[in-house]
Amino acid sequence: MTEMKSVSEATAVKAPVLPDAQTVTEVKHWTDSLFSFKVSRPASLRFRSGEFVMIGLLGDNGKPLLRAYSIASPSWDEELEFYSIKVQNGPLTSKLQHIKPGDQIILRPKPVGTLVHDALLPGKRLWFFATGTGFAPFASLLREPQTYGDYDEVIITHTCREVAELEYGRQLIENIRQDELLAELMGEGFADKIRYYPTTTREDSPKMGRITTLLQDGTVFADLGIEGGIKPETDRAMVCGSLAFNLDIKEILEGFGLREGANSEPKEFVIEKAFVG
Ligand SMILES: Cc1cc2nc3c(=O)[nH]c(=O)nc-3n(C[C@H](O)[C@H](O)[C@H](O)COP(=O)(O)OP(=O)(O)OC[C@H]3O[C@@H](n4cnc5c(N)ncnc54)[C@H](O)[C@@H]3O)c2cc1C
Ligand SMILES: NC(=O)c1ccc[n+]([C@@H]2O[C@H](COP(=O)([O-])OP(=O)(O)OC[C@H]3O[C@@H](n4cnc5c(N)ncnc54)[C@H](OP(=O)(O)O)[C@@H]3O)[C@@H](O)[C@H]2O)c1
């Protein structure tokens, strides 16, 4: 009887639930407000390129402080990469920006999201429209073999305030073009399908202006030699930026006759917020 009691007491007291810890393996600072980092990948984690997970640190109150983050690495990679803003008074990123290799972060292994190939109907030309850290899901999709298997042309536009904020994306695309392992995975010449279209709005660069304006006045199509603009028969799009940006692009894409899709109902374009607020 005494023994029974002690067993039932033992089962009633649950072992402390440890957060899903992963180890930081690499950190790179790009500007005062942007950095990227890599962490170990949980053996059980499967995700589709373009999805996001919740990551974070233990807060001062001892509870996990978690935020949504797009996985910037492709689904086949051994490690997980993230591309992050540093918000000076941000509850998470004011601390996260100080992580170093060997530190641990929390990563909840439940990937979700709409920026996935499954949410689009088959097409010939795929557009990725990003502002700021909205580039992150496309850093994953640009290294995903299906992107090149499914499309003849992949156009990635990235609009930032300043030139330095484009650097993570610029280097990533340059590395994709030179990577022999990727060529082996995706097929020789795959990188010729990539058309990179970076623009800045507050610092001089070869292409100035919001991508929305450049789409509306036809500059993008003239620059890329695309006749007749975006067409629902051939063109597919994925969008990731601020709420205002997403709304503006949505209106433009709908103006071209594209419809917004979802995992459950694939159509011609999909949208995800790069941040809330
Ligand atoms: C689906 C989804 C995916 C996301 N993926 C990423 C990602 O890959 N990389 C990333 O850095 N953030 C991403 N975010 C934003 C992220 O969840 C946090 O908001 C961010 O890490 C800041 O956290 P914080 O606690 O420091 O500040 P918060 O309290 O979360 O944010 C404070 C304010 O900072 C601004 N802000 C927050 N995030 C950003 C951002 N990324 N770019 C510009 N301004 C921002 C907003 O004005 C916000 O109100 C994503 C958000 C969502 C909803
Ligand atoms: N990045 C910085 O240098 C910086 C510095 C201080 C504070 N912050 C704060 O950080 C937050 C996010 O800054 P962020 O630069 O990463 O993101 P952001 O303000 O969303 O701007 C990113 C890029 O998207 C463009 N953009 C914004 N809204 C758009 C729309 N509706 N249509 C088309 N393009 C649009 C911006 O152009 P425009 O320049 O024309 O808006 C900019 O080039 C903001 O709250 C900002 O106040 C950022």
Side-chain angles (χ1 to χ4, degrees):
M1 194 65 189
T2 316
E3 205 178 330
M4 288 275 294
K5 192 174 172 218
S6 92
V7 168
S8 93
E9 268 177 5
T11 46
V13 180
K14 287 193 179 148
V17 181
L18 288 173
D20 304 288
Q22 295 301 324
T23 305
V24 176
T25 58
E26 196 181 308
V27 182
K28 192 160 181 184
H29 292 269
W30 297 89
T31 69
D32 285 351
S33 61
L34 292 169
F35 71 116
S36 60
F37 58 96
K38 292 184 182 176
V39 303
S40 52
R41 176 172 177 166
S44 62
L45 176 66
R46 297 279 172 274
F47 68 96
R48 293 176 294 174
S49 293
E51 288 187 314
F52 68 88
V53 285
M54 302 300 291
I55 66 168
L57 297 169
L58 273 189
D60 294 337
N61 59 4
K63 289 187 181 160
L65 173 57
L66 301 174
R67 293 285 186 268
Y69 267 80
S70 295
I71 302 174
S73 45
S75 60
W76 51 265
D77 212 340
E78 284 173 10
E79 290 186 311
L80 298 175
E81 180 182 338
F82 298 96
Y83 179 49
S84 180
I85 191 89
K86 303 174 198 174
V87 182
Q88 289 319 323
N89 298 319
L92 178 64
T93 56
S94 59
K95 295 196 172 77
L96 191 69
Q97 61 180 287
H98 300 297
I99 53 169
K100 302 233 161 1
D103 289 349
Q104 295 205 317
I105 67 156
I106 303 164
L107 189 149
R108 295 272 190 255
K110 293 197 179 92
V112 286
T114 54
L115 301 180
V116 290
H117 282 301
D118 295 345
L120 292 178
L121 293 170
K124 289 198 180 313
R125 184 162 49 210
L126 180 59
W127 295 79
F128 294 140
F129 293 109
T131 59
T133 58
F135 189 88
F138 306 135
S140 174
L141 284 155
L142 281 165
R143 293 179 278 184
E144 168 59 52
Q146 192 183 350
T147 301
Y148 306 95
D150 286 2
Y151 295 91
D152 299 338
E153 213 178 340
V154 179
I155 302 174
I156 164 79
T157 84
H158 192 196
T159 300
C160 291
R161 296 176 178 208
E162 293 164 14
V163 174
E165 294 167 341
L166 294 168
E167 193 57 16
Y168 170 80
R170 194 193 66 74
Q171 281 191 24
L172 186 124
I173 290 167
E174 196 177 291
N175 289 338
I176 288 176
R177 291 192 196 284
Q178 292 166 3
D179 195 306
E180 286 170 14
L181 175 69
L182 288 180
E184 219 170 276
L185 269 173
M186 302 183 200
E188 213 54 58
F190 82 95
D192 297 341
K193 294 185 175 183
I194 304 175
R195 322 245 355 233
Y196 175 46
Y197 198 83
T199 84
T200 57
T201 50
R202 306 205 188 183
E203 187 185 4
D204 279 350
S205 73
K207 187 54 65 177
M208 296 279 302
R210 289 179 164 199
I211 192 68
T212 41
T213 311
L214 301 168
L215 283 168
Q216 280 163 325
D217 68 12
T219 305
V220 179
F221 308 123
D223 287 343
L224 297 176
I226 293 172
E227 279 178 30
I230 291 173
K231 299 182 209 72
E233 300 77 33
T234 50
D235 291 69
R236 303 291 173 261
M238 296 194 188
V239 180
C240 192
S242 64
L243 178 61
F245 172 72
N246 288 0
L247 289 173
D248 287 353
I249 281 271
K250 179 178 156 81
E251 198 179 325
I252 291 170
L253 293 175
E254 286 176 347
F256 282 116
L258 275 59
R259 299 163 303 160
E260 184 172 357
N263 272 289
S264 54
E265 207 176 345
K267 287 188 182 158
E268 291 88 22
F269 75 93
V270 279
I271 290 195
E272 201 147 78
K273 281 196 285 272
F275 57 93
V276 181

